[in-house]
């Protein structure tokens, strides 16, 4: 594709942006941001390894919905279910949106509530410096639906966002807000492919002593494309924990921007991605930026990728420790397990530290299955394929351990085992 | 039980002959010990028999009863009743010891056309066997060998042996890195498994393990061959005099070994 054509695509895309009702000033500000920064090109530092063309294109590449008979991953969990069908809230398929200690509103209803107005687009705007995130600005400007969740107590059950994909050309843009008041706690689950092309953003504001848990499964649609962003601000003694399992999908870019603003706060972000190029192209990109702006903050990034048949994995993770953020403990590990010689993993770990009493470590590895461990298992009678599957589970275990509750770990493990059973050999 | 004839093995990656014609027969119910200096080929023999990659058999054969070992995958050898207790048991993070044991047992049962063991029966089986090896519930729950001490790792090998009930057990320097108490525990575990239908090949540097696991036959291996075979007294002789005389008798220079 020529540069001229790419420009045209980007211009067309920008010209088509329309601002839905509600959050007018925030949307207009986002559009101004977007127009100022433009859509990304391959020369942008953080898009060198992931081609943004399909995200920029005015229309999505059609994607056939994927049907399977696998039970829904969180089907056994007692939860409050919120369903989006090709990006549109489906009241009938969803549960009643009331739960004690939790207020849930719909973005498309354009509610005029002050907590939402002061949060919508705010964390996204803060997260645009120093790295530009055009698809996030695009999202804030033009998101058509989403949920606005305010948590004032300890939620009695998780909120489960389910995204179904039925139209071959759906192009949903969803924007969620989660505001946790002091001491509040909630778990948000997400699963499903959502559309042919999905742009999703979640802003999570964690107040003092509040706890946010996030477990996401990016669905089995082989043809879907997704660009997602999480922006979070974590106050004093707050906790933010996010885990994502990705299996399949042509193109996935997951960004996570974390701002630790209060002392003694914790932020963990983890992911396990399984890609098999045999069932279609697989390109998965995790891009993380964690800013420590307060004392004694602890952050962990744990990313594992299992790649085969030409699958591609990207990790770009940064820890920025601001002046004065003493006693920061930052940890980052990104690892890939390449099951053949055709797959590729690229990693860019970055540390930028302006405080003198901190502990930050990072590591990145790429490797094949450990032959000694494989022989050990086979010598006990476990056939090679089953032994390989066990070693894959062993490889991703650290990332799954980041999920606090056992019932969610079990659900993820079941899904992982299913993937391994389907992708043997 | 185990029949090895004229086994010649070289390293796959380099032109280095390790085994130069090993002949060995282990009868059912017997314990054979192989001793020998470093580099004599003892561990290679155990790896070749269990099917580890990296070795090339250039001549000879090895059978476990009717199974042609050299023509079978490692998992097929295991299902046929071969078990190698590793000198360095491998750590497998993220895979629970129980999951590992049950996967292995059921895989072997499946390969032999037997029914899988139920979760309840399996639990009973493991608990019983674990207790006698002083393996506590915590060790069973933890990931395979992760954070285990040297002694715990070796006990875990014996636990696997007890659960998988192999016919032919090869212990590759199971005594290495063990203190006296740990060695006694491991030896007790092995002795409890001695049975008319089960044979052992105990590979060791030192006589001391053989004080606890009494062998029927002792072989001395050097330069890729078995150079002497005798009763338990042969091990005592080596302990007392070292290998030098034996090597000299067979014209093997010590430097090579």
């Amino acid at each position: 594709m020529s540069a001229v054509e790419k420009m045209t695509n980007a211009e067309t895309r920008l010209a088509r942006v329309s601002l839905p009702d509600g959050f007018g000033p925030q949307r207009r500000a986002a559009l101004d941001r977007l127009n100022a920064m433009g859509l990304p090109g391959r020369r942008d530092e953080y898009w060198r390894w992931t081609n943004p063309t399909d995200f920029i294109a005015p229309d999505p590449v059609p994607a056939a919905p994927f049907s399977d008979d696998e039970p829904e991953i969180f089907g056994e969990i007692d939860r409050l279910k919120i369903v989006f069908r090709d990006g549109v809230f489906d009241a009938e398929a969803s549960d009643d949106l009331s739960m004690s200690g939790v207020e849930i509103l719909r973005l498309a209803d354009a509610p005029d509530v002050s907590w939402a107005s002061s949060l919508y687009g705010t964390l996204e705007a803060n997260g645009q410096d120093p790295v530009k995130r055009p698809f996030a600005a695009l999202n804030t400007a033009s998101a058509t639906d989403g949920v606005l969740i305010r948590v004032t107590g300890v939620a009695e059950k998780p909120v489960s966002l389910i995204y179904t994909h039925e139209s071959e050309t759906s192009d949903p843009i969803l924007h969620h807000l989660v505001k946790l008041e002091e001491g509040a706690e909630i778990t948000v689950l997400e699963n499903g492919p959502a559309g042919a092309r999905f742009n999703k953003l979640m802003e999570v504001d964690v107040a003092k002593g509040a706890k946010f848990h996030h477990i996401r499964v990016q669905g089995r649609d082989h043809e879907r494309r997704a660009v997602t962003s999480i922006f979070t601000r974590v106050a004093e003694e707050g906790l933010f924990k996010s885990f994502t399992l990705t299996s399949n999908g042509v193109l996935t870019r997951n960004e996570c921007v974390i701002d630790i603003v209060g002392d003694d706060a914790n932020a963990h972000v983890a992911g396990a991605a399984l890609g098999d190029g045999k069932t279609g192209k697989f390109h998965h990109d995790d891009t993380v930026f964690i800013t420590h702006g307060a004392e004694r903050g602890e952050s962990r990034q744990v990313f594992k990728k299992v790649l085969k048949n030409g699958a591609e994995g990207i990790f770009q993770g940064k820890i920025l420790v601001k002046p004065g953020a003493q006693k920061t403990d930052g940890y980052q590990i990104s690892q890939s397990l390449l099951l053949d010689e055709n797959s590729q993993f690229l990693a860019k770990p970055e540390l930028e530290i302006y405080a003198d009493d901190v502990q930050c470590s990072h590591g990145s590895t790429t490797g094949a299955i450990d032959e000694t461990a494989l022989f050990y298992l086979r010598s006990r009678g476990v056939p090679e394929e089953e032994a390989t599957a066990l070693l894959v589970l062993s490889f991703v275990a650290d990332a799954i351990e980041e999920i606090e509750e056992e019932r969610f770990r079990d659900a993820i493990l079941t899904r992982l085992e299913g993937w391994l059973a389907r992708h043997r050999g | 039980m185990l029949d090895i004839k004229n086994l010649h093995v070289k390293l796959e990656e380099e032109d280095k002959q390790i085994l130069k014609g090993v002949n060995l027969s282990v009868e059912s119910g017997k314990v054979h010990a192989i001793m020998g200096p470093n580099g004599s080929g003892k561990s290679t023999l155990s790896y070749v028999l269990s099917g580890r990659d990296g070795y090339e058999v250039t001549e000879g054969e090895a059978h476990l009863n009717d199974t042609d070992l050299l023509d079978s995958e490692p998992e097929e050898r295991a299902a046929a009743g071969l078990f190698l207790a590793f000198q360095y048991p491998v750590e497998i993070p993220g895979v629970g010891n129980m999951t590992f044991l049950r996967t292995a047992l059921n895989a072997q049962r499946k390969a032999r056309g037997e029914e899988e063991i139920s979760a309840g029966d399996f639990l009973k089986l493991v608990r019983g066997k674990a207790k006698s090896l002083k393996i506590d519930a915590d060790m069973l729950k933890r990931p395979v060998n992760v954070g285990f001490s040297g002694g715990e790792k070796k006990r875990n090998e014996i636990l696997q042996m007890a659960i998988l009930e192999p016919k032919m057990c090869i212990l590759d320097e199971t005594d290495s890195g063990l203190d006296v108490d740990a060695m006694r525990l491991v030896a007790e575990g092995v002795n409890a498994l001695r049975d008319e239908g089960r044979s052992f090949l105990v590979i060791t540097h030192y006589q001391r393990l053989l004080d606890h696991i009494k062998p029927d036959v002792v072989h001395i291996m050097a330069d890729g061959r078995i150079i002497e075979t005798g009763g338990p007294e042969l091990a005592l002789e080596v302990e007392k005099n070292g290998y030098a005389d034996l090597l000299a008798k067979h014209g093997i220079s010590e430097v090579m070994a």
Side-chain angles (χ1 to χ4, degrees):
Chain A
M1 195 177 281
S2 73
V4 174
E5 205 176 333
K6 218 184 273 176
M7 283 294 290
T8 310
N9 265 349
E11 281 169 1
T12 310
R13 186 83 200 271
L14 291 177
R16 276 206 210 167
V17 172
S18 65
L19 310 185
D21 286 345
F23 304 103
Q26 293 86 343
R27 289 182 188 274
R28 280 189 293 280
L31 183 57
D32 289 345
R33 279 198 291 281
L34 175 61
N35 283 321
M37 68 181 83
L39 288 165
R42 293 305 293 275
R43 287 195 195 143
D44 285 283
E45 196 190 337
Y46 287 89
W47 288 93
R48 271 171 38 219
W49 292 337
T50 293
N51 187 343
T53 302
D54 291 346
F55 296 136
I56 291 168
D59 296 302
V61 180
F66 182 83
S67 66
D68 64 45
D69 46 14
E70 201 173 41
E72 195 221 314
I73 179 162
F74 299 122
E76 300 291 312
I77 307 273
D78 181 27
R79 61 197 168 151
L80 191 147
K81 214 162 71 168
I82 302 176
V83 179
F84 293 88
R85 199 172 293 278
D86 284 312
V88 181
F89 174 67
D90 182 339
E92 208 158 286
S94 303
D95 291 331
D96 182 56
L97 300 186
S98 60
M99 177 159 53
S100 135
V102 184
E103 177 189 354
I104 304 175
L105 305 165
R106 185 182 169 195
L107 177 66
D109 291 337
D112 185 15
V113 286
S114 63
W115 71 263
S117 299
S118 59
L119 181 56
Y120 190 89
T122 303
L123 302 185
E124 176 260 300
N126 289 346
Q128 294 290 354
D129 182 46
V131 179
K132 298 295 172 223
R133 308 177 191 280
F135 297 110
L138 173 73
N139 181 301
T140 299
S142 59
T144 47
D145 218 335
V147 282
L148 317 175
I149 302 172
R150 179 165 167 261
V151 193
T152 51
V154 176
E156 63 191 65
K157 52 187 172 185
V159 166
S160 174
L161 306 174
I162 300 165
Y163 311 116
T164 61
H165 169 206
E166 289 171 16
S167 156
E168 281 200 10
T169 54
S170 55
D171 191 19
I173 301 181
L174 297 183
H175 192 118
H176 306 307
L177 300 182
V178 183
K179 183 171 173 60
L180 291 109
E181 302 292 358
E182 188 171 328
E185 181 167 5
I186 195 168
T187 297
V188 173
L189 309 172
E190 291 185 281
N191 66 291
R197 179 171 69 180
F198 188 30
N199 180 333
K200 194 211 62 190
L201 192 154
M202 187 185 282
E203 293 180 280
V204 184
D205 196 12
V206 182
K208 184 181 176 187
K211 293 175 179 165
F212 176 75
H213 305 273
H214 176 230
I215 297 119
R216 164 168 64 171
V217 177
Q218 291 179 309
R220 288 186 48 201
D221 274 35
H222 298 299
E223 298 178 11
R224 61 149 187 89
R225 288 162 172 79
V227 56
T228 78
S229 332
I230 295 171
F231 292 88
T232 188
R233 173 169 65 192
V234 190
E236 195 181 341
E237 292 172 6
L239 171 75
F240 170 91
K241 277 193 113 172
S242 173
F243 170 87
T244 302
L245 172 70
T246 308
S247 56
N248 305 342
V250 172
L251 175 62
T252 309
R253 162 89 160 208
N254 291 333
E255 296 198 14
C256 189
V257 182
I258 296 172
D259 204 3
I260 294 178
V261 297
D263 293 340
D264 302 294
N266 277 279
H268 294 199
V269 54
L274 308 167
D276 185 352
K278 200 175 174 183
T279 40
K281 188 178 156 58
F282 178 91
H283 181 98
H284 181 93
D285 174 334
D286 285 300
T287 295
V288 179
F289 198 114
I290 299 183
T291 304
H292 282 268
E295 292 190 10
R296 295 177 303 278
E298 185 224 22
S299 71
R300 282 176 69 85
Q301 302 171 53
V302 182
F303 287 89
K304 305 274 182 158
K305 291 178 173 63
V306 181
L307 307 168
K308 65 193 284 192
N309 291 314
E312 298 161 2
I314 308 296
F315 174 78
Q316 309 183 98
K318 178 156 182 171
I319 304 172
L320 169 64
V321 181
K322 286 186 168 175
Q326 302 296 7
K327 306 281 182 196
T328 285
D329 181 357
Y331 173 78
Q332 179 195 91
I333 183 86
S334 66
Q335 296 180 300
S336 76
L337 177 63
L338 305 182
L339 296 179
D340 56 42
E341 286 171 5
N342 303 320
S343 301
Q344 189 183 40
F345 175 64
L346 299 168
K348 185 166 72 169
E350 291 178 278
L351 295 179
E352 197 176 331
I353 300 172
Y354 297 102
D356 55 10
D357 184 14
V358 303
Q359 191 182 328
C360 282
S361 62
H362 68 85
S364 183
T365 65
T366 296
I369 284 278
D370 178 348
E371 290 296 330
T372 308
L374 186 66
F375 172 63
Y376 188 59
L377 289 168
R378 294 179 73 191
S379 78
R380 297 304 180 247
V382 183
E384 187 171 7
E385 286 189 353
E386 203 176 343
T388 303
L390 267 180
L391 293 176
V392 169
L393 287 177
S394 160
F395 172 75
V396 298
D398 286 351
I400 292 169
E401 278 301 308
E402 288 292 323
I403 303 171
E404 240 171 62
E405 274 193 69
E406 191 177 3
R407 57 183 174 151
F408 301 130
R409 283 201 300 269
D410 288 346
I412 295 290
L413 278 173
T414 304
R415 187 50 62 103
L416 264 170
E417 283 161 4
W419 188 90
L420 288 166
R422 288 190 302 275
H423 294 267
R424 285 196 174 173
Chain B
M1 176 72 72
L2 180 68
D3 281 298
I4 304 169
K5 285 190 190 129
N6 194 29
L7 189 62
H8 287 70
V9 172
K10 70 183 260 300
L11 289 180
E12 228 166 46
E13 307 245 313
E14 46 186 299
D15 201 23
K16 188 178 175 193
Q17 199 73 30
I18 310 285
L19 299 185
K20 303 173 179 172
V22 174
N23 288 292
L24 178 66
S25 279
V26 181
E27 311 78 16
S28 192
K30 299 291 184 199
V31 175
H32 285 223
I34 296 185
M35 301 180 74
N38 284 325
S40 57
K42 304 185 303 288
S43 285
T44 296
L45 178 64
S46 72
Y47 286 144
V48 170
L49 291 175
S50 50
R52 188 176 188 145
D53 281 346
Y55 302 99
E56 189 187 329
V57 176
T58 51
E59 208 182 326
E61 50 190 273
H63 284 85
L64 175 61
N65 297 325
D66 297 335
T67 304
D68 180 352
L69 290 177
L70 304 179
D71 194 33
S72 309
E73 296 295 332
E75 54 267 34
E76 293 168 338
R77 303 179 196 206
L82 186 73
F83 183 93
L84 169 65
F86 280 50
Q87 184 179 1
Y88 303 108
V90 180
E91 296 185 7
I92 307 179
V95 176
N97 214 7
M98 289 289 266
T99 306
F100 165 62
L101 288 167
R102 203 172 66 183
T103 306
L105 180 59
N106 280 332
Q108 292 201 14
R109 286 183 167 224
K110 202 172 153 195
R112 293 194 291 258
E114 299 164 13
E115 256 188 62
E116 291 197 355
I117 189 166
S118 75
D121 288 348
F122 176 74
L123 207 62
K124 251 185 264 168
L125 175 73
V126 173
R127 282 195 183 139
K129 308 268 189 195
K131 203 175 164 195
S132 57
L133 285 162
K134 297 202 174 140
I135 289 175
D136 59 19
D138 182 53
M139 254 177 84
L140 290 172
K141 262 189 255 163
R142 268 150 57 189
V144 182
N145 293 327
V146 178
F148 287 25
S149 68
E152 286 174 332
K153 283 181 181 171
K154 297 297 170 75
R155 264 144 65 201
N156 201 31
E157 293 292 286
I158 307 305
L159 174 67
Q160 292 164 39
M161 196 192 283
I163 284 165
L164 297 172
E165 299 186 321
K167 296 188 185 105
M168 181 72 228
C169 308
I170 304 173
L171 310 183
D172 185 10
E173 300 199 18
T174 293
D175 51 337
S176 70
L178 293 189
D179 60 33
V180 179
D181 291 336
M183 188 165 69
R184 188 174 299 131
L185 212 56
V186 164
E188 279 169 13
V190 170
N191 288 330
L193 289 168
R194 287 181 76 158
D195 183 88
E196 279 184 16
R198 183 171 295 126
S199 309
F200 291 84
L201 190 58
V202 180
I203 295 171
T204 180
H205 270 296
Y206 305 105
Q207 143 70 19
R208 60 172 196 170
L209 180 66
L210 304 179
D211 285 340
H212 299 282
I213 305 173
K214 300 257 189 272
D216 298 298
V217 182
V218 174
H219 307 276
I220 306 299
M221 196 164 174
D223 193 24
R225 278 168 302 166
I226 286 171
I227 56 166
E228 285 277 339
T229 294
E233 73 286 351
L234 186 54
L236 293 168
E237 191 190 315
V238 166
E239 182 76 2
K240 214 169 108 195
N241 304 326
Y243 293 110
D245 291 351
L246 281 171
L247 296 180
K249 180 176 150 192
H250 292 272
I252 299 164
S253 76
E254 267 185 276
V255 180
M256 189 272 356

